[in-house]
Structures are given as structure tokens and as C-alpha cells.
Amino acid sequence: MREKLGKFLGERRTFQGVFERFGSKSGYKGPVKTVLIVNLIDFVTKEVLTDHLWFTCGKRFDCLDLQEGELVQFDARVTEYLKGYQGGEEGSYEDVYGQELDYRLSFPTKVYKLGGLPKGQMLLSRLNA
């Protein structure tokens, strides 16, 4: 669970992170493109909020032609969701699949590519320089 991200629940904030890769998940109308951001930090406090975060890739991320290791900055709202298996009869799978409340970033805007990091370099070392 991402407790550090949860303290900003409902807030729209600026975040920075390192683009790792694109992925996909199943959706109602077929596969949905996703994006993996690692070493996500709050832009204002420079606090590391989570080591990784997957979210749906919208047009703003898709048009940047992102490459692995590039630093990105964007605004997003912190929202909560129920993590775990959602199918079957109500309540019958909770013990087996362990549903829990977690936090995500929604509605990203003002997405910018800030440049690349040398392979293996952490985001924090760049911010402290």
C-alpha cells in the first residue's frame, strides 16, 4: 500500500518520476495501454512517494515518444481504489484474493519530458545535484 501517496488523497499535485516502460491491461473494449513510472516523488517536497506506479496511458503520455530512463513531470490527482480480485459472488473471494484499499494517480495533465538519466542513476541523485 502507498501510505505516503495516501496523505495527499483528493489533492492535485505535481509529480516527477522516471519512465520505465509501457504495458497493457485488459479493458471493456480490448487492451488498454499503461505506463510505468518508477521513483515517483512529490515535486514540492522532493519526498519519494512510491518506488513504482502503473496507470492508464492517455494521449499526453503517448505523444511524448518516451524512452526508458527519461525523467517526466506531470500534475495528477491522488485517488483511492479497491485493489484485488473484483469478480464472483459478493464477499466470496475476499479471503482468497485479499482486497485492500490503495492509492493511484488519476487525470494526468501538464505532462513534460525533462530529459534522460544515465542508466542506473536514481532520480534522487539528480535532484540533489
Side-chain angles (χ1 to χ4, degrees):
M1 181 142 133
R2 300 174 176 100
E3 292 90 6
K4 290 182 180 180
L5 195 57
K7 68 183 178 183
F8 300 118
L9 181 62
E11 292 184 36
R12 184 161 198 79
R13 299 184 68 86
T14 302
F15 302 95
Q16 285 185 341
V18 178
F19 170 77
E20 182 75 17
R21 67 182 175 97
F22 290 110
S24 67
K25 65 180 180 178
S26 59
Y28 178 72
K29 294 183 178 182
V32 176
K33 192 173 183 178
T34 58
V35 62
L36 173 60
I37 303 293
V38 297
N39 301 322
L40 185 77
I41 66 163
D42 179 64
F43 179 71
V44 175
T45 65
K46 305 297 189 228
E47 177 183 12
V48 177
L49 300 175
T50 185
D51 63 340
H52 77 283
L53 188 71
W54 282 99
F55 56 95
T56 302
C57 178
K59 292 178 183 177
R60 291 176 177 93
F61 275 98
D62 206 20
C63 72
L64 289 179
D65 188 35
L66 291 169
Q67 303 298 316
E68 180 182 353
E70 289 185 313
L71 185 62
V72 293
Q73 178 175 312
F74 58 95
D75 291 355
R77 183 173 307 280
V78 178
T79 59
E80 59 187 9
Y81 71 102
L82 191 58
K83 183 177 180 179
Y85 184 72
Q86 304 293 314
E89 297 177 23
E90 188 174 332
S92 63
Y93 294 97
E94 287 177 326
D95 294 332
V96 177
Y97 292 99
Q99 293 179 345
E100 64 178 317
L101 195 62
D102 204 357
Y103 302 97
R104 63 183 171 197
L105 297 180
S106 301
F107 315 112
T109 58
K110 300 179 184 173
V111 181
Y112 302 103
K113 180 167 47 172
L114 301 176
L117 295 172
K119 197 150 185 92
Q121 183 177 355
M122 294 294 290
L123 174 62
L124 290 178
S125 62
R126 179 176 178 145
L127 293 172
N128 293 331

